[in-house]
Amino acid sequence: MTAPATARTPEFIHTAVGLGPEGLALDPARRRGYVSCPRSNEVVAFDLDGGGMLGRVDVGREPIPVIYDPTGDRIFTADARSDTVSVIDAATFALLAQVPVAEYPAGLGFDEQRRKLYCGNTAGSSVTVIDVDRLEVLDHTPAALGAGSIAIDPVQGLVYCSNFMDDTITVLDADTHEARGDIRVGAAPCKVTIDAGRRRLYVANSLVATLGVVDLDTGRVVDEYPIGGAPVGIMARPVDEVVYAADRGSGELVVIDTRDGATLARLPVGNGPGDVVWAEDTGIVYVSNAGSCSVTRVADPRASDPRRAATEATQAETTDGAACAVPWATPAVAPHPLIGKPMPAFALPDMTTGEIRTIEEWQGKKYILNFFASW
């Protein structure tokens, strides 16, 4: 079926990057994107226009979120298994420093006006505040278990930290770093994003597959929209009154109407999508696919009539001229050499008691391992 002439169809380009890509940040001036790759312990630079990988730099173990500071021209990533924030020079793509934080940092938020970086420490149940210019830790503020993704409201000067294991959002004062209270939301809030103009905070409740809506002025949950699957990453696009959700469960980019919660489109991207960002200058959307080891570039077809075009988009052709039998086909990735091998020995701290647990405890039994990273 061919889309009508009044609607443009989405165009997909897939760029192979490192292992398990998660966090995304954009550098429009250089036409670069940055993606963290937790399984290969690196940050990768890629061409925003679909030309492939441009470079890579080793950081700490299991980097999850990525932030780009255009004023300082630096890239920041939180290394969950190293308990550090790595700092990268964007001009040279060299590692500049690693700032110690608390246990298992899995989320970052950047306040460009105050020149502060907020780091959500998942196992440390806290938020670390860093001066991005001096690279100094300013404060450690208690949050709750599973502290991760962070969003900043520039209007009221408040910081919102999602607590994945506690089903709450901790609210902090951006100037004093003091806690202002908690907002109870849906199960497993994995990502938060803000639409300051509409005075809304959107929350990806991953375990109940919903998009929570919080009124920033009252601090109350005012709505909850079904998404389906397991939403992990979200990003608001106020100009079109939509929120993009990376649905890890279905492998789709979900477009949600913020006026009534209607699903406008479900666009298959790659396996295990995790983060989603959009470029203000071009309107193009980028999605990281942890299971496909790729970043998908989706040329947004909704500029003139976003809702009709989103629902009518049915097929696409990659912009490099190579036709795809399936427009969202992802690049082939060789299986990991450990697949099919005996499970290696490992030990991890229990997130509730702190006790070290080893795989030997379940030897000879049937069990399920559920690895879920939140930021």
Side-chain angles (χ1 to χ4, degrees):
M1 181 174 66
T2 302
T6 55
R8 292 164 51 194
T9 55
E11 296 175 334
F12 298 78
I13 295 178
H14 310 284
T15 299
V17 289
L19 300 181
E22 290 286 1
L24 284 169
L26 304 184
D27 182 351
R30 291 189 177 91
R31 304 305 302 153
R32 283 186 198 165
Y34 305 112
V35 59
S36 62
C37 298
R39 303 299 168 243
S40 48
N41 301 326
E42 62 186 341
V43 171
V44 170
F46 61 93
D47 184 348
L48 288 183
D49 299 313
M53 266 179 45
L54 300 174
R56 57 175 299 279
V57 60
D58 293 325
V59 290
R61 292 186 298 156
E62 199 174 330
I64 298 177
V66 170
I67 294 289
Y68 173 60
D69 169 21
T71 300
D73 204 23
R74 289 172 172 174
I75 306 155
F76 298 87
T77 185
D79 311 313
R81 296 290 293 169
S82 295
D83 299 340
T84 58
V85 168
S86 288
V87 187
I88 301 166
D89 186 314
T92 63
F93 216 52
L95 183 65
L96 295 177
Q98 288 182 305
V99 181
V101 288
E103 295 89 349
Y104 206 88
L108 290 177
F110 179 42
D111 187 337
E112 187 165 9
Q113 178 184 348
R114 293 174 177 81
R115 306 299 297 153
K116 293 178 182 178
L117 189 73
Y118 302 88
C119 179
N121 304 303
T122 298
S125 304
S126 64
V127 174
T128 299
V129 187
I130 300 171
D131 184 307
V132 297
D133 297 314
R134 300 198 305 269
L135 301 183
E136 294 178 358
V137 172
L138 300 175
D139 215 340
H140 293 286
T141 300
L145 188 61
S149 176
I150 291 176
I152 293 111
D153 176 13
V155 176
Q156 292 189 332
L158 296 177
V159 178
Y160 296 83
C161 174
S162 64
N163 303 305
F164 181 80
M165 305 294 292
D166 193 56
D167 302 340
T168 59
I169 305 292
T170 295
V171 185
L172 308 175
D173 187 296
D175 293 312
T176 66
H177 316 145
E178 295 177 356
R180 293 280 194 89
D182 294 326
I183 303 170
R184 185 151 296 279
V185 291
C190 193
K191 186 72 182 284
V192 287
T193 189
I194 278 180
D195 180 346
R198 289 175 59 84
R199 309 301 301 142
R200 291 292 184 262
L201 172 76
Y202 298 104
V203 187
N205 300 314
S206 58
L207 290 188
V208 290
T210 62
L211 179 73
V213 185
V214 177
D215 185 308
L216 287 173
D217 296 322
T218 65
R220 296 179 179 177
V221 176
V222 294
D223 228 324
E224 193 170 16
Y225 303 140
I227 296 179
V232 175
I234 54 173
M235 177 60 67
R237 183 172 180 167
V239 67
D240 286 331
E241 297 181 306
V242 299
V243 167
Y244 297 114
D247 187 349
R248 178 149 287 175
S250 67
E252 295 171 314
L253 173 67
V254 184
V255 187
I256 303 159
D257 188 330
T258 57
R259 300 173 305 175
D260 57 11
T263 297
L264 302 175
R266 301 189 70 95
L267 305 176
V269 283
N271 297 326
D275 200 8
V276 54
V277 294
W278 68 281
E280 293 189 30
D281 57 340
T282 63
I284 292 173
V285 179
Y286 300 86
V287 183
S288 62
N289 305 300
S292 300
C293 299
S294 65
V295 172
T296 297
R297 174 188 186 274
V298 185
D300 193 348
R302 301 171 304 101
S304 59
D305 188 351
R307 283 151 184 86
R308 181 171 62 177
T311 53
E312 291 179 343
T314 56
Q315 61 182 17
E317 183 176 288
T318 56
T319 56
D320 62 3
C324 292
V326 181
W328 47 84
T330 53
V333 179
H336 194 280
L338 291 181
I339 293 178
K341 304 291 185 181
M343 179 172 289
F346 68 86
L348 294 171
D350 189 298
M351 292 188 68
T352 302
T353 66
E355 178 187 0
I356 299 299
R357 311 295 297 270
T358 69
I359 192 65
E360 283 77 14
E361 294 180 48
W362 295 276
Q363 190 170 8
K365 301 177 182 179
K366 294 181 179 180
Y367 52 87
I368 297 173
L369 290 180
N370 180 19
F371 287 94
F372 196 97
S374 67
W375 69 100

